[in-house]
Amino acid sequence: MRDLSAFGDATFDVVFHPASNLFVPDLAPVRRECFRVLRPGGTLLVGFLNPDVYLLDHEALDERGELIVVHKLPYSDVTQYSAEERATKLGADAPLEYSHTLTDQIGGQLAAGFVLTGFAEAPHQSNASAQYMSHYFATLAVKPG
């Protein structure tokens, strides 16, 4: 995501970036590369997690219906848990996750030069917190030109 150097400038009409940026600690290089490889007038579709999803203890909510805030935002597996805790809680081979502020998510697209033309949100139907908030956001942006 951060290095699309195999592709030339203004190569694509559409870049679809599903909810995968939670695996990237810094979104700025991703946005710059998306902008670079899109043709003028090209479309960027981005899906991402609501950062508030990372606030809650999901086990307490799913098992006991308790809303308990356990994490400070922006969240990072790296700062939240030691390597040993990550291996035990998440699994030794689990990818690292990072939440990002809405300023990073939406403002970052604007800072890269995109013009936002659409926005949508949706709950995660199998998660108990869906009754309180949307889990997924999506933006539609265009590279001017």
Side-chain angles (χ1 to χ4, degrees):
M1 281 184 277
R2 293 173 285 192
D3 180 9
L4 300 176
S5 60
F7 304 105
D9 295 354
T11 303
F12 298 102
D13 292 319
V14 175
V15 171
F16 175 58
H17 185 185
S20 58
N21 60 20
L22 62 109
F23 303 115
V24 179
D26 181 10
L27 297 180
V30 175
R31 302 292 182 239
R32 281 193 304 269
E33 285 291 279
C34 289
F35 193 85
R36 183 185 65 76
V37 301
L38 272 172
R39 292 184 178 116
T43 301
L44 174 67
L45 302 161
V46 177
F48 56 93
L49 285 177
N50 178 346
D52 293 347
V53 167
Y54 288 94
L55 283 171
L56 302 174
D57 179 335
H58 289 281
E59 290 176 21
L61 181 58
D62 292 341
E63 294 171 10
R64 299 182 303 281
E66 298 174 348
L67 286 171
I68 300 173
V69 173
V70 292
H71 302 293
K72 182 180 176 185
L73 298 179
Y75 170 86
S76 165
D77 284 341
V78 175
T79 58
Q80 185 62 41
Y81 302 110
S82 69
E84 296 80 25
E85 290 172 320
R86 283 194 307 272
T88 301
K89 184 172 181 66
L90 307 173
D93 296 326
L96 298 175
E97 291 189 23
Y98 307 86
S99 79
H100 300 284
T101 65
L102 292 177
T103 297
D104 284 344
Q105 294 285 9
I106 296 170
Q109 292 178 57
L110 297 170
F114 289 102
V115 175
L116 263 60
T117 60
F119 181 82
E121 59 185 289
H124 185 301
Q125 297 300 333
S126 65
N127 191 298
S129 61
Q131 62 185 314
Y132 302 104
M133 66 179 154
S134 293
H135 285 76
Y136 300 106
F137 295 145
T139 58
L140 174 63
V142 174
K143 180 177 178 175

